[in-house]
Amino acid sequence: MLLKIHFILIVFTAVTFGSVQHNNLIIAVGDELEFLTDGNAYRTLTLNSYNATKLSALAYDATTRKLFFSDQRHHYGHIFSVSLDNESHRPVEDIVEKNNNETVESLAYDPVNKMLLWTDGLNRAIRRVQIDNDPIHIEEKDGVQIVHFLENDAKPRGLVSDPCTRMLYWTNVHDSNPTIERSFLNGSHREIVLHSDLLLPNAFDLDIMEQMIYWAEDLHNGYFRIERSYVNGTGRQEFYRGMGSFIVSLTVGEDYVYWTDYSHKKLWSLRKDGSSEKPIILRTFRYPATGVVVFRHQPLDCSLVKIHHQAHRADGETLTIIFSTITLLMVLAMAAVLVIRLKDNRRPLVLSKKNEGTFAFQNLENGSSNNNVYTACERAI
Ligand SMILES: *[C@@H]1O[C@H](CO)[C@@H](O)[C@H](O)[C@H]1NC(C)=O
Ligand SMILES: *[C@@H]1O[C@H](CO)[C@@H](O)[C@H](O)[C@H]1NC(C)=O
Ligand SMILES: *[C@@H]1O[C@H](CO)[C@@H](O)[C@H](O)[C@H]1NC(C)=O
Ligand SMILES: *[C@@H]1O[C@H](CO)[C@@H](O)[C@H](O)[C@H]1NC(C)=O
Ligand SMILES: *[C@@H]1O[C@H](CO)[C@@H](O)[C@H](O)[C@H]1NC(C)=O
């Protein structure tokens, strides 16, 4: 019962206070980084004392307000970071030195252990490096550890980490046997999440709050598709199928999925809840955009993961119906409950702290203050 009330509270809050909004995005285009606010205002991020060549993989850390990126044709560096704290001063640091024998396809940052991870497709490896002190500069030989060294012909491509569940997910664009896999961030418990009906899961992201993975592939017949499933591979569904564009990168925001494509050189957006049929074009670039990430002002609040997780146990479409029905029917009832609650005492609307589910973070304190959210998550495990 309590759970239901909380669920309804969330719906109520969402309906009353939360309209659908675009996330702010950082986009890599050629030798430039672009910042997109509310889906329409653009500006180029100038980088101090740094000449970019061809930017690609991006990862953003809201705890330190640092953006990590790789620069494919840079003479000395491989992976860089830039602090986005100060509008007028954005110092770039060379974090991982260039090694002609290695590639960086995708970057992920774990704020709990301050670990930067990346896929090296050429060497079939997922590597990591600890970013503990500022400034940091690592020669490839020292400091870089291998999380996974994959089998013959494997090609790790997309990579995402989940600070809340301590998991790592990646796609393997193997020619004949592509997979989507996961393990703990420390490399243990590696397992294959999906292996059937995959072609080239090139662009990849994780919706941490909903615990769903999204991937995009080229279908070789002029079409591409974006699919999603729960992180354990169940509940797989086609999210969108479109024509004529190879998807280069994809990121999942609160309300929208965003992707960039090669042939049209555009940034697209599509509502996650399925309420819009066609994707909306947010921007057309001079070159294909090679990376896109959501820019968050606050780190994710892991204590909220469980609620969404439970709410989504139902099948997606049924859930949408349940959602709208409950919303319509219960808004009035909730108003009454709220009035009674407010009369009762002046407690703010906090989410449950009780152990009601089976999700790993049920014991977390409610994270209305975002300090040490990740640390709290780690302690909970
Ligand atoms: C960037 O390029 C300009 C012009 O080629 C050069 O003068 C400058 O020294 C370069 N800066 C760095 C940090 O490489
Ligand atoms: C931002 O950078 C500028 C230029 O380096 C500096 O003058 C200013 O003090 C910095 N602002 C903050 C808040 O650090
Ligand atoms: C390049 O990588 C391969 C496989 O990881 C390794 O055997 C080889 O020694 C490397 N070559 C250089 C020059 O580092
Ligand atoms: C790896 O991480 C998992 C989950 O965080 C933990 O349960 C496990 O003990 C760790 N294994 C090692 C070898 O550290
Ligand atoms: C996979 O995840 C879904 C959604 O969280 C859950 O309902 C289902 O029981 C899980 N299946 C397995 C086999 O763990």
Side-chain angles (χ1 to χ4, degrees), residues 48-51 74 76:
N48 293 95
S49 327
Y50 180 75
N51 294 333
H74 197 272
Y76 315 110

Side-chain angles (χ1 to χ4, degrees), residues 99-102 120 122-124 127 146 149:
N99 180 334
N100 288 327
N101 206 13
E102 286 169 14
D120 174 355
L122 192 64
N123 294 293
R124 315 191 305 273
R127 299 174 192 274
I146 289 194
F149 194 62

Side-chain angles (χ1 to χ4, degrees), residues 110-333:
D110 174 39
V112 177
N113 290 331
K114 298 188 173 59
M115 201 70 88
L116 183 69
L117 302 102
W118 66 97
T119 46
D120 174 355
L122 192 64
N123 294 293
R124 315 191 305 273
I126 295 173
R127 299 174 192 274
R128 69 173 181 205
V129 70
Q130 179 105 38
I131 313 277
D132 36 15
N133 305 313
D134 285 311
I136 181 162
H137 172 79
I138 288 133
E139 301 198 10
E140 284 275 353
K141 293 171 240 59
D142 337 304
V144 178
Q145 297 167 327
I146 289 194
V147 184
H148 292 293
F149 194 62
L150 307 178
E151 310 58 39
N152 284 345
D153 304 331
K155 288 182 193 159
R157 176 70 55 88
L159 182 75
V160 282
S161 62
D162 184 340
C164 299
T165 60
R166 316 300 304 136
M167 298 294 288
L168 185 68
Y169 299 86
W170 67 94
T171 67
N172 163 19
V173 294
H174 185 283
D175 290 337
S176 57
N177 191 19
T179 52
I180 297 178
E181 306 187 25
R182 68 176 174 182
S183 76
F184 282 119
L185 268 163
N186 59 19
S188 69
H189 287 88
R190 179 180 161 194
E191 62 177 332
I192 291 173
V193 173
L194 286 166
H195 57 86
S196 62
D197 195 20
L198 292 172
L199 287 162
L200 194 142
N202 180 53
F204 184 56
D205 199 18
L206 167 69
D207 187 337
I208 293 174
M209 288 302 161
E210 317 276 347
Q211 288 291 294
M212 291 190 96
I213 46 175
Y214 284 71
W215 65 98
E217 359 176 64
D218 187 8
L219 297 179
H220 304 315
N221 59 356
Y223 285 87
F224 68 91
R225 71 175 172 204
I226 301 174
E227 288 182 273
R228 64 181 171 190
S229 79
Y230 290 116
V231 289
N232 62 12
T234 67
R236 180 173 176 174
Q237 59 177 206
E238 188 168 289
F239 175 69
Y240 183 71
R241 183 181 288 240
M243 228 185 131
S245 45
F246 182 82
I247 298 186
V248 184
S249 65
L250 174 147
T251 193
V252 185
E254 262 86 50
D255 297 317
Y256 289 89
V257 175
Y258 303 92
W259 67 89
T260 66
D261 78 286
Y262 195 81
S263 30
H264 301 295
K265 307 184 183 69
K266 292 187 195 306
L267 170 68
W268 308 76
S269 66
L270 185 61
R271 287 275 296 268
K272 269 177 3 185
D273 62 9
S275 63
S276 55
E277 262 176 42
K278 283 195 172 164
I280 307 282
I281 297 163
L282 295 180
R283 181 97 161 113
T284 305
F285 306 99
R286 274 192 302 152
Y287 314 102
T290 43
V292 57
V293 281
V294 167
F295 173 87
R296 289 177 210 284
H297 293 282
Q298 303 282 337
L300 287 170
D301 184 346
C302 291
S303 67
L304 299 178
V305 170
K306 169 205 155 195
I307 285 126
H308 289 257
H309 182 77
Q310 291 214 335
H312 279 257
R313 284 223 171 127
D315 153 70
E317 259 165 57
T318 324
L319 191 76
T320 314
I321 296 161
I322 294 172
F323 245 99
S324 22
T325 314
I326 290 183
T327 309
L328 281 172
L329 291 178
M330 297 310 286
V331 161
L332 273 177

Side-chain angles (χ1 to χ4, degrees), residues 34-71:
E34 281 207 21
F35 195 87
L36 171 57
T37 312
D38 301 329
N40 58 44
Y42 293 90
R43 61 197 159 91
T44 300
L45 294 177
T46 49
L47 304 175
N48 293 95
S49 327
Y50 180 75
N51 294 333
T53 65
K54 190 165 186 281
L55 304 177
S56 58
L58 299 179
Y60 180 69
D61 172 37
T63 58
T64 55
R65 302 176 68 80
K66 264 192 182 167
L67 177 75
F68 298 92
F69 61 91
S70 84
D71 193 344

